[in-house]
Amino acid sequence: MTQYITVAADDRVEAKNGVIKLHGPEAFAGMHRAGRLAAEILDALVPHVVPGVTTQELDDLVYKLTVEGGGTPATLGYRGYTKSCCISINHVVCHGIPGDKALKDGDIVNIDVTPIVDGWHGDTSRMFLVGDVPLKARKLVDVTYECLMLGLEQAKPGNRLGDIANAIQRHAEAHRYGVVRDFCGHGVGRVFHDSPEVIHAGRPGTGVELRPGMIFTVEPMINIGRPDVKILEDGWTAVTRDRSLSAQFEHSIGITDTGCEIFTKSPGGLDKPPY
Ligand code: MF3
Ligand code: CO
Ligand code: CO
């Protein structure tokens, strides 16, 4: 059974045992600021995501942009993670660790950033196309963005998490793509990964009912092939088991009286490629 609790803006305790937090205007304002910085960072990366740049160079840039924007990267030191963002290339599903690897022509790349601003976490990711990308890969990226936005259309009071999940799953599977089950969206706020778990495949009319004040991410990972993933030896990098290409977009949102507020929309209109 779901229990909803109204939390004060200074609450920093992770919700447990099916408890769902309902946040007030101060939290929405805080998430708006954090989400805007997150989106600005991704906007600023656009000219740098080119063949030859290393993922470490991009991570350094994310660090600099985060700090200059008055934030700190939530991932830095998070459960032993030591980078300022995640960069996931081609068949990497999520949690790719920046390093020596250079981007090459034809790559599709997800960059996921989470600046903390005044204690609030702005969590968002987008796909980037490196140089000349084959149509098949561009199609995956387009459909994955559509999956996210179709999911968000269902994010309104009275609907359930299963309605968001089903909208995503139906669109992905209509294109014969696989929806990753091993990673989910999550409640977000002063806590990075909070309740509820936001699934990306499921049945309509099921799961937690959405109420005004809920704040969470939606971040579908869609594979050209099977949904199955495996984690590499580094303990973080998730890849498709069949090595098929994978794409992801993520927004942080808050449920309002009539629908949802997207905290992480691009100020520059750069929500999806081509940029
Ligand atoms: N930003 C990721 C998310 O969307 C979480 C990354 S955690 C890390 O939830 F440690 F891998 F960076
Ligand atoms: Co997230
Ligand atoms: Co993220």
Side-chain angles (χ1 to χ4, degrees):
M1 212 197 60
T2 309
Q3 193 199 343
Y4 298 89
I5 57 162
T6 303
V7 292
D10 62 356
D11 171 87
R12 291 170 33 83
V13 185
E14 190 182 335
K16 299 247 169 64
N17 309 318
V19 169
I20 305 292
K21 291 176 187 170
L22 300 180
H23 299 268
E26 208 180 312
F28 274 61
M31 284 301 295
H32 181 80
R33 292 193 304 272
R36 185 178 49 211
L37 177 59
E40 284 169 354
I41 292 166
L42 293 183
D43 281 8
L45 289 177
V46 166
H48 300 277
V49 183
V50 292
V53 72
T54 69
T55 52
Q56 183 60 55
E57 286 169 334
L58 293 173
D59 192 71
D60 291 343
L61 202 48
V62 169
Y63 179 81
K64 181 172 163 282
L65 292 162
T66 303
V67 171
E68 282 174 0
T72 53
T75 55
L76 208 49
Y78 177 77
R79 299 187 183 195
Y81 194 83
T82 60
K83 303 291 174 177
S84 297
C85 65
C86 296
I87 305 186
S88 304
I89 307 170
N90 295 335
H91 71 294
V92 179
V93 173
C94 64
H95 302 166
I97 306 172
D100 298 337
K101 195 183 224 9
L103 301 185
K104 62 179 196 317
D105 190 64
D107 285 344
I108 61 168
V109 182
N110 177 277
I111 305 182
D112 190 339
V113 300
T114 311
I116 307 172
V117 178
D118 299 333
W120 301 100
H121 293 70
D123 189 4
T124 186
S125 81
R126 293 179 206 155
M127 296 303 294
F128 296 78
L129 307 178
V130 183
D132 217 0
V133 171
L135 179 62
K136 194 173 119 177
R138 276 187 279 136
K139 183 78 198 168
L140 171 70
V141 170
D142 285 349
V143 170
T144 302
Y145 182 77
E146 290 161 9
C147 283
L148 171 60
M149 299 316 283
L150 286 167
L152 296 188
E153 278 179 23
Q154 298 298 319
K156 55 186 180 202
N159 270 5
R160 292 175 181 270
L161 286 176
D163 295 306
I164 296 175
N166 189 252
I168 293 166
Q169 182 181 8
R170 283 178 55 146
H171 192 57
E173 291 181 354
H175 291 270
R176 309 182 138 274
Y177 294 149
V179 181
V180 171
R181 310 298 207 276
D182 298 57
F183 300 96
C184 294
H186 49 91
V188 68
R190 289 198 183 274
V191 177
F192 189 2
H193 292 112
D194 211 344
S195 206
E197 192 165 90
V198 179
I199 55 174
H200 302 116
R203 296 179 184 282
T206 66
V208 169
E209 186 185 313
L210 304 178
R211 301 223 179 142
M214 287 175 67
I215 296 179
F216 55 88
T217 73
V218 180
E219 47 182 301
M221 284 142 274
I222 308 294
N223 304 342
I224 284 188
R226 306 275 319 154
D228 312 78
V229 312
K230 69 174 183 201
I231 310 291
L232 300 187
E233 305 282 62
D234 61 27
W236 285 104
T237 312
V239 301
T240 55
R241 279 197 175 268
D242 60 9
R243 294 189 68 87
S244 65
L245 291 179
S246 186
Q248 178 181 29
F249 287 86
E250 175 177 26
H251 273 315
S252 295
I253 68 166
I255 301 297
T256 63
D257 289 337
T258 53
C260 74
E261 177 177 352
I262 303 176
F263 298 122
T264 45
K265 269 206 95 56
S266 164
L270 307 173
D271 286 294
K272 60 154 179 168
Y275 304 123

